[in-house]
Amino acid sequence: MRVAPWAGPARVEPDPARAIICVMAVDPQVQTILDGLAVAAAEGPSLAEQTPDEVRASFAMMAMLGTPEDVASVEDSTVAGPAGDLPIRIYRPATEGTLPALVWYHGGGFVIGDLDSHDAVCRSLANRAGCVVIAVDYRLAPEHPFPAAPDDAIAAFDALRSRAGAFGIDPDRMATGGDSAGGNLAAVVANARRGDVAFQLLIYPVTDMNRTSQSYRDNAEGYLLSAEMMTWFEGHYTGGAHLDDPRVSPLFEEDLSGVAPAFLLTAEFDPLRDEGEAYGKRLVDAGVPVEMRRYDGMVHGFFQMNAMVDAADVALDEAGDALRRGLA
């Protein structure tokens, strides 16, 4: 495993040519997981033949690839959403007093995933960043297509900030974060609440639902997340919305000036690699401080695999450190 080098703590501009010049093999630990998943997939129906509920049940197995760390406390609660109460889960590290907070949105293509699927990640980030992590269980498509997810994401952030004292968090030190679809929602909330969001933690975020980048062609299949899967997710989620709508595809946000500083992570063998790095460049061009990492040899979803993949622990450490500094 080779981690892309930093150019320092200031803004880092991605190098699109780097993927062509420095292509590596998939990390052996990741390849073992991919091989096992390929065998299981060959014995079952294709994605197009499965219902969202069937895919959700399969995705629940991802939770087994993470190592759930002990935290000081875990509490389930709710906050008001636009269509009723939204379930949340609050993770507190072993630190006293009023703490900064990360509002976390789980990945899963806006169709799958829940509070349990990302439990281990939230525990790790709470410990490594020394902040409260509050995971939001937003409504999923196709039962609730766009704009239900961003509406819930924004409403949850607003409710948590307005009741910060009740949750023991500092309203002026609140970050948004998430992986994949959750990274999309974290960016959407940060764009909508400039001045209120202090930091963004974007883990291989979905930023362009048009799905036309080179990394979609390079990594179309065989690397956990496939181009076919993203098409399936988009078909269930967007509900006819224009794919250039910035709340669908944050890459098309006209003006990103004044958005919160960000830590943005991408993976080499990920269809979403190029759009994530393109979004990072858009932030840089708008004068936003950005720290970027591309993890070579990694695939989409590796951030959840620290029970089996050493690079996931490195990534969790880096993300936690960036979050700690961003909320200092």
Side-chain angles (χ1 to χ4, degrees):
M1 185 277 293
R2 181 165 61 84
V3 180
W6 272 24
R11 294 191 296 272
V12 180
E13 208 166 314
D15 179 4
R18 189 172 169 279
I20 299 173
I21 296 171
C22 301
V23 172
M24 296 180 64
V26 173
D27 180 275
Q29 292 178 319
V30 173
Q31 190 61 58
T32 298
I33 295 171
L34 295 180
D35 292 343
L37 292 173
V39 171
E43 298 173 350
S46 69
L47 181 69
E49 297 173 313
Q50 296 183 63
T51 67
D53 281 340
E54 289 171 332
V55 179
R56 288 166 187 160
S58 298
F59 186 72
M61 296 174 60
M62 283 291 292
M64 299 171 60
L65 299 178
T67 302
E69 302 175 8
D70 290 335
V71 292
S73 68
V74 179
E75 176 188 359
D76 287 343
S77 186
T78 61
V79 292
D85 286 345
L86 293 170
I88 61 172
R89 184 168 294 167
I90 307 161
Y91 301 84
R92 298 185 186 278
T95 306
E96 299 294 331
T98 300
L99 297 177
L102 168 67
V103 183
W104 176 264
Y105 307 102
H106 66 77
F110 310 98
V111 177
I112 60 181
D114 54 28
L115 297 179
D116 293 332
S117 64
H118 288 67
D119 179 76
V121 164
C122 291
R123 290 169 177 269
S124 294
L125 291 174
N127 285 336
R128 299 174 198 217
C131 71
V132 177
V133 175
I134 305 175
V136 178
D137 202 12
Y138 56 90
R139 289 173 292 166
L140 298 176
E143 297 88 345
H144 306 283
F146 176 86
D151 285 349
D152 286 358
I154 293 170
F157 180 86
D158 289 346
L160 290 166
R161 191 166 190 270
S162 68
R163 297 175 55 202
F167 291 104
I169 60 176
D170 183 345
D172 295 322
R173 292 190 294 160
M174 292 180 62
T176 59
D179 63 313
S180 195
N184 171 291
L185 296 175
V188 168
V189 177
N191 294 341
R193 294 295 182 262
R194 303 179 202 204
D196 293 338
V197 176
F199 192 74
Q200 305 178 72
L201 188 68
L202 308 179
I203 309 301
Y204 31 72
V206 176
T207 69
D208 182 2
M209 290 292 282
N210 289 284
R211 310 182 306 284
T212 58
S213 68
Q214 182 63 43
S215 59
Y216 262 94
R217 295 185 287 276
D218 294 343
N219 307 312
E221 58 182 323
Y223 300 114
L224 191 61
L225 178 68
S226 68
E228 178 193 19
M229 291 174 67
M230 283 302 298
T231 300
W232 187 85
F233 287 137
E234 186 270 317
H236 284 300
Y237 173 60
T238 54
H242 200 293
L243 299 186
D244 290 354
D245 183 329
R247 296 213 313 165
V248 174
S249 301
L251 187 62
F252 294 95
E253 183 72 43
E254 183 176 349
D255 179 12
L256 289 169
S257 60
V259 173
F263 176 88
L264 196 154
L265 180 152
T266 61
E268 181 183 10
F269 296 102
D270 183 355
L272 306 186
R273 182 195 67 212
D274 290 355
E275 66 193 72
E277 293 177 1
Y279 190 67
K281 187 176 186 306
R282 284 284 325 278
L283 290 171
V284 168
D285 290 345
V288 177
V290 180
E291 296 179 6
M292 296 182 66
R293 288 288 189 278
R294 179 193 293 186
Y295 273 71
D296 290 332
M298 292 296 115
V299 299
H300 193 87
F302 87 94
F303 198 68
Q304 292 176 258
M305 300 177 181
N306 70 324
M308 298 182 67
V309 178
D310 294 340
D313 252 332
V314 177
L316 285 164
D317 282 343
E318 286 204 297
D321 179 66
L323 184 60
R324 183 188 294 273
R325 289 183 285 108
L327 293 176

